[in-house]
Amino acid sequence: MSDQTAPTTAAGEPPTAAARGAESAVGAAEPTRARGEQTRQLILETALRLFRERGYAQTTMRAIAKEAGVAVGNAYYYFESKEHLIQEFYRRTQAEHLARAAAPLAAETDFAARLRAVLHAGIDVLGPSHAFAATFFKTAAEPTSPLSPFSVQSSEARSDAIGLFSEVLEGSRAKVDPELRPDLPELLWLAYLGVILYWVHDRSPGQTKTRLLIDGAVPLIDRLVALSRLRVLRPITAQTMQLIKTLRH
Amino acid sequence: MSDQTAPTTAAGEPPTAAARGAESAVGAAEPTRARGEQTRQLILETALRLFRERGYAQTTMRAIAKEAGVAVGNAYYYFESKEHLIQEFYRRTQAEHLARAAAPLAAETDFAARLRAVLHAGIDVLGPSHAFAATFFKTAAEPTSPLSPFSVQSSEARSDAIGLFSEVLEGSRAKVDPELRPDLPELLWLAYLGVILYWVHDRSPGQTKTRLLIDGAVPLIDRLVALSRLRVLRPITAQTMQLIKTLRH
DNA sequence: ACCGCAACTTGAACACGTTCAGAAAGGACG
DNA sequence: CGTCCTTTCTGAACGTGTTCAAGTTGCGGT
């Protein structure tokens, strides 16, 4: 990205921006990404850095703008609100989670081991951000927020995540009650949300307790899944599945 | 402040304030309740009314003060922050929950029926506030918030709530694995928190789905509790209890 | 009556997230 | 070049929660 024989349209700057093209008309409120792509990135990078350095609440929009060398209003041109800067954080976190989970998923076939690896990978990624992430995860808990994992806006991220747990299941040699199987990935995702919820509240140094939670819960889930085919438990399994179907939208 | 014949001490105003007395020195940051008790009540009543009428976010501190006929600063003399007004809402809700649960608990001895009644009573109390309660329950999800159900500040409310579920269990003729029994009330309370979490996100009219959740989950819990004594499940029970003990502070 | 002190009350001022009317900066077309 | 239009950018201004130095009030002691 340093040479100057850059062809046709190039000013030689946006190397990544080349990979645009397929601007799917999802129809969100975002400005049609073009010249300002660089500015957008600059603001985003600055914001995330400051969040990490000072915490979310302690980072003012004015500080972000100043540090990025733009006016406050400009930040609002690219991001609807301070919260929407977080959304980008989620996106990155999610992407890295997928990336880190890839290796163990390729290597392992045992269901419990796969699940355990994916859960740990998630916390691995989140880990360094615990201090500031915890303070805004509350926003995600608000039902009306677009950041809620159940919201329409995050449906893409959600299905990505659920897809990850689908792969956990499919790549394994676990035997699962056929009635349970189609819904299990979503349940595992819910369990993952539970882990995150615990992680957010986890005050132990290095959040080691969350690790214990994962290591403790995975065998239980594994056994429960196996037992779901047992005669004594079949009715409970069926009943549970029935309830879940009722409660889902 | 208009007439001048004001006699010695009496303006004839504080009839309720007479019932003070036992000012237990808990030593919180609250101002020593005395003359201002009336003002405090006035502000609180006004605030809760406005919350209900306009919603939490739409109610400004200025509006509360104006409506109550005091200065903004005065509201902050009695309540540390806008959020602390919510805390009072919790307290009342909790008290009414206890009150409403009393009757069914006195009448019923079946564990499932008792649990079901208590859960429904909770939602009964919360019901009318769904519109505005949902918007600030997020605050409770924040780990650092004093409103968090896990915080030190709400330990009294917490133990009250857990006590309610203790009574659910003790007043029943349920047979429970002795290893599980001492911790079951807390687990039931956690389940109740889960119900509330669902309720907050419940968009169905009248939150009927939450009712379905209760009616569906109670039999499952009931059966699970019963099964906990079963041979096949004993190891799982034990393992689960072990995990929970590890994870608790 | 007066003093002194603590309880209470005030409203201007602060910092923050957000909005908005308007500049600047490109670029396409003549 | 000039004209027009869209994209990008600006900073003052608004409404909010919260703070604070300064006032007022009521009461016990003299």
Side-chain angles (χ1 to χ4, degrees), chain A residues 20-192:
Chain A
R20 178 111 24 68
E23 189 77 62
S24 66
V26 200
E30 316 232 339
T32 52
R33 215 69 50 63
R35 313 206 297 272
E37 181 65 20
Q38 269 191 132
T39 313
R40 190 191 145 88
Q41 283 303 318
L42 175 61
I43 293 170
L44 181 55
E45 232 60 57
T46 309
L48 293 185
R49 177 170 59 81
L50 291 185
F51 286 165
R52 221 173 297 273
E53 285 176 13
R54 318 179 181 176
Y56 178 70
Q58 286 70 38
T59 303
T60 72
M61 290 302 282
R62 283 170 179 80
I64 295 171
K66 191 173 190 179
E67 197 88 356
V70 300
V72 228
N74 203 6
Y76 280 92
Y77 179 74
Y78 290 104
F79 300 94
E80 266 182 57
S81 72
K82 195 180 174 188
E83 281 189 15
H84 278 75
L85 286 163
I86 296 178
Q87 208 154 20
E88 215 71 21
F89 169 80
Y90 283 134
R91 243 192 282 278
R92 297 184 173 202
T93 300
Q94 170 105 342
E96 206 184 327
H97 187 187
L98 289 183
R100 287 220 199 181
L105 284 184
E108 188 65 60
T109 62
D110 178 57
F111 172 72
R114 291 170 69 84
L115 178 59
R116 187 175 173 281
V118 166
L119 293 180
H120 274 297
I123 298 300
D124 285 346
V125 172
L126 246 26
S129 314
H130 185 266
F132 83 100
T135 70
F136 63 61
F137 257 89
K138 63 163 182 180
T139 327
E142 194 183 15
T144 60
S145 167
L147 279 89
S148 163
F150 305 105
S151 77
V152 190
Q153 286 93 329
S154 49
S155 54
E156 190 188 327
R158 183 169 59 249
S159 54
D160 276 8
I162 295 177
L164 183 57
F165 289 102
S166 282
E167 215 196 307
V168 166
L169 181 57
E170 278 161 24
S172 83
R173 37 180 165 64
K175 285 174 181 164
V176 185
D177 181 333
E179 198 169 3
L180 173 62
R181 186 172 253 273
D183 290 313
L184 188 53
E186 189 170 348
L187 292 180
L188 293 177
W189 172 70
L190 279 174
Y192 176 53

Side-chain angles (χ1 to χ4, degrees), chain B residues 157-174:
Chain B
R158 183 169 60 249
S159 56
D160 276 6
I162 296 177
L164 184 55
F165 289 102
S166 282
E167 215 196 309
V168 166
L169 180 58
E170 279 162 24
S172 83
R173 37 180 165 64

